[in-house]
Amino acid sequence: MLHDAKPESAPKSPSEPSPSAAAPSALVSAGRQTYGRFCTTLERANLLDAPFLKLPRGIRKWRLKEWQAVQISTPELFMNLALFDAKIMSLVQVKIYDKRRGQKHVFERKLPPLSMQIADTLQHSHNGYAGSKVVLAFDNRAALGYLDALIDLEGEGKRPRISGKLRLDMRGGAPHVVSMPLVDGGMYSHKGMFPVGGRLIIGDTTHDLAEEGGLALLDDHKGYYPYVMLWDWLTSAKRDADGVGWGFNLTRNQCREPSRYNENCVWREDRFGTLPEVRFERRNEGKPDEVWLVRDDSGRVDVEFRPTVPGDVRVNALVVESRYRGPFGHVRGR
């Protein structure tokens, strides 16, 4: 069932809203987090106001993982722009795959604590990092119906200079917002598929994203994840032969009761449909014929992903270690 990205009246149970319910003004009220799915953007994702292991607010702030990312898909490109704040370490990431040329452009910089802060609202905020050779910023203006992504990356080695200003049309797509319980504490994620315009310049090539039929997948995320943080994730978007935009998000993370609480969905233009809990199976991992199988128990999801472009991130900073695989590749199935 596809849900219109327009709110219904208030749900009967505040703990389990309908997928087409409007989001509350604040995620946490009177020290209690509201769980569920929503079709509108929160005023505040104020997880710092939620209890977590009886820790004081100052320590909770250092345990809350936060990031904002945008994936953009066109017939020419697939890219990921991300700002990640794990508190004891931060990361700025730009990954672009040129499908026509078979070229990958990657920039990743690990940053010390307090190098960036991720706002608790998309309504009117700025998340960004400006440093040597790189500027990456998100101007969030959901209250006005758009989000701007700004990138300016100096060329280095074989990587050309990359720059551009991209605009997500948040009135032309479908937000899919979830609030769910983790092992301890909770998490929030604002996913969404939106038309994207603007120009991206890679070396001497200019891409007009609107003309190329670009689609953007938004990922604004916060959570009190365990020290060992594990999750599987697969997302993609494209336009069909009639120009209709389709996308999906499939995740297996550390939420309690995943059959009840998950963020799996499919988008069609400005509507989304919820999907059930899924499991990931990886075969021949690290080999040329590696394949990921993503399925559910009822047969609603049967997707095959074949990685073709590696994208590993390994960080060992003594107090934190991260081993993350983020490949690009080809998806088929239903």
Side-chain angles (χ1 to χ4, degrees):
M1 178 179 178
L2 289 171
H3 303 275
D4 289 318
K6 301 178 179 64
E8 294 180 349
S9 57
K12 294 180 179 180
S13 171
S15 60
E16 291 188 57
S18 158
S20 54
S25 59
L27 198 60
V28 179
S29 178
R32 183 179 177 182
Q33 181 176 346
T34 300
Y35 298 133
R37 300 186 192 235
F38 312 100
C39 67
T40 61
T41 302
L42 287 162
E43 294 289 334
R44 292 183 62 217
N46 57 328
L47 277 183
L48 279 177
D49 294 335
F52 174 63
L53 298 178
K54 298 182 179 180
L55 296 173
R57 184 183 180 91
I59 297 179
R60 293 201 304 269
K61 184 175 181 179
W62 283 90
R63 280 298 309 273
L64 186 65
K65 305 291 190 296
E66 303 178 272
W67 64 86
Q68 183 173 0
V70 172
Q71 294 83 38
I72 294 175
S73 177
T74 78
E76 303 281 339
L77 306 169
F78 191 89
M79 71 182 86
N80 182 63
L81 311 174
L83 297 171
F84 183 86
D85 183 13
K87 300 305 188 291
I88 52 179
M89 185 204 71
S90 297
L91 180 73
V92 55
Q93 183 183 75
V94 176
K95 297 171 67 176
I96 300 175
Y97 180 58
D98 186 324
K99 301 177 190 179
R100 303 291 189 197
R101 295 177 173 83
Q103 296 175 336
K104 182 179 71 169
H105 310 295
V106 176
F107 175 88
E108 290 171 341
R109 177 173 294 169
K110 296 175 280 292
L111 304 169
L114 305 178
S115 297
M116 68 176 73
Q117 290 189 335
I118 306 297
D120 71 351
T121 180
L122 293 175
Q123 297 289 359
H124 196 284
S125 67
H126 176 86
N127 295 325
Y129 174 78
S132 172
K133 300 183 179 181
V134 62
V135 174
L136 179 61
F138 300 113
D139 283 319
N140 302 303
R141 300 292 183 267
L144 301 176
Y146 68 90
L147 183 158
D148 284 344
L150 206 65
I151 176 175
D152 192 350
L153 179 62
E154 289 187 17
E156 187 173 43
K158 295 182 179 180
R159 187 188 67 232
R161 183 178 181 188
I162 300 170
S163 63
K165 182 177 181 180
L166 319 176
R167 174 160 291 189
L168 282 62
D169 177 7
M170 298 186 71
R171 289 177 177 164
H176 177 223
V177 180
V178 298
S179 173
M180 305 187 291
L182 293 171
V183 178
D184 294 298
M187 60 83 71
Y188 138 90
S189 186
H190 185 309
K191 297 292 194 297
M193 185 184 78
F194 307 100
V196 61
R199 290 184 176 180
L200 183 73
I201 303 172
I202 303 176
D204 56 3
T205 303
T206 298
H207 294 270
D208 187 311
L209 299 186
E211 287 186 1
E212 294 180 11
L215 292 167
L217 297 163
L218 175 63
D219 185 13
D220 185 57
H221 201 108
K222 303 177 187 296
Y224 288 109
Y225 282 92
Y227 281 114
V228 179
M229 182 179 176
L230 303 170
W231 81 94
D232 294 304
W233 179 43
L234 180 64
T235 190
S236 188
K238 71 171 294 182
R239 294 190 183 276
D240 63 20
D242 297 322
V244 177
W246 292 86
F248 67 84
N249 182 82
L250 297 172
T251 307
R252 175 81 177 189
N253 58 19
Q254 290 164 291
C255 286
R256 286 185 277 138
E257 299 182 71
S259 61
R260 180 181 180 187
Y261 296 113
N262 65 72
E263 57 183 279
N264 301 326
C265 73
V266 60
W267 288 281
R268 181 186 187 276
E269 291 291 324
D270 61 352
R271 294 185 291 166
F272 73 87
T274 59
L275 292 172
E277 172 190 9
V278 296
R279 63 187 181 277
F280 283 67
E281 178 188 354
R282 281 183 288 276
R283 296 179 180 175
N284 303 323
E285 193 166 355
K287 298 180 180 179
D289 58 346
E290 178 177 359
V291 60
W292 301 9
L293 303 176
V294 190
R295 297 167 175 162
D296 76 310
D297 291 334
S298 62
R300 292 182 60 198
V301 178
D302 188 0
V303 172
E304 177 185 291
F305 170 67
R306 292 188 178 273
T308 57
V309 184
D312 296 359
V313 178
R314 289 183 176 269
V315 177
N316 191 341
L318 299 180
V319 294
V320 61
E321 182 179 2
S322 173
R323 287 174 288 174
Y324 175 79
R325 295 189 65 208
F328 297 156
H330 299 288
V331 175
R332 60 181 298 176
R334 64 181 183 88

